[in-house]
Amino acid sequence: RVRLVESGGDSVQAGGSLRLSCVVSGYTSCMAWFRESPGKEREGVAAICTGSPYYGASAKGRFTIAQDNAKNTAYLHMNNLKPEDTAMYYCAAERMERGHILDNSDWNSWGQGTQVTVSS
């Protein structure tokens, strides 16, 4: 498995923006961002595969996923953050193509997470 390291999580006010980064130890054509908050299942936020982005309902119109293959890094640009975006955000790589790209069971390697907290 590849190693993934996330960064960029922070505490912000509602309406603010953050950029999360995920550095992977090797090349991967597909990467994804998931989030998990207490009492809720891990949720697919966004994924990118050979340059094509996919977004979960909570991310559409506010978040943008990008991938820099030269740096083996994926980014999640988050705008207009809301308190309900508060969660631990995880990066994933090595898609297994068993199901939907935003299902957590479809990914083999995970980072340790970075915390995003949005206050009202």
Side-chain angles (χ1 to χ4, degrees):
R1 295 182 180 180
V2 295
R3 289 185 64 247
L4 302 99
V5 179
E6 303 98 331
S7 62
D10 205 347
S11 296
V12 297
Q13 295 277 340
S17 298
L18 283 174
R19 186 185 77 165
L20 305 183
S21 300
C22 174
V23 180
V24 62
S25 61
Y27 172 77
T28 178
S29 59
C30 301
M31 295 182 73
W33 287 95
F34 289 77
R35 69 185 185 187
E36 188 172 338
S37 53
K40 295 185 179 180
E41 293 187 358
R42 189 167 294 192
E43 172 192 6
V45 176
I48 188 164
C49 209
T50 56
S52 296
Y54 303 83
Y55 295 100
S58 62
K60 288 180 180 177
R62 298 189 300 129
F63 297 177
T64 302
I65 189 170
Q67 186 175 11
D68 186 336
N69 290 326
K71 297 181 179 180
N72 287 343
T73 301
Y75 303 96
L76 184 67
H77 300 265
M78 304 187 294
N79 296 317
N80 190 23
L81 283 161
K82 304 175 181 181
E84 51 264 42
D85 294 318
T86 295
M88 185 71 79
Y89 283 72
Y90 296 92
C91 180
E94 296 189 310
R95 187 183 177 210
M96 296 182 284
E97 300 189 25
R98 293 177 179 174
H100 193 276
I101 197 170
L102 290 177
D103 286 341
N104 59 34
S105 62
D106 206 36
W107 299 85
N108 192 47
S109 295
W110 295 85
Q112 293 301 306
T114 186
Q115 178 69 37
V116 172
T117 302
V118 185
S119 57
S120 57

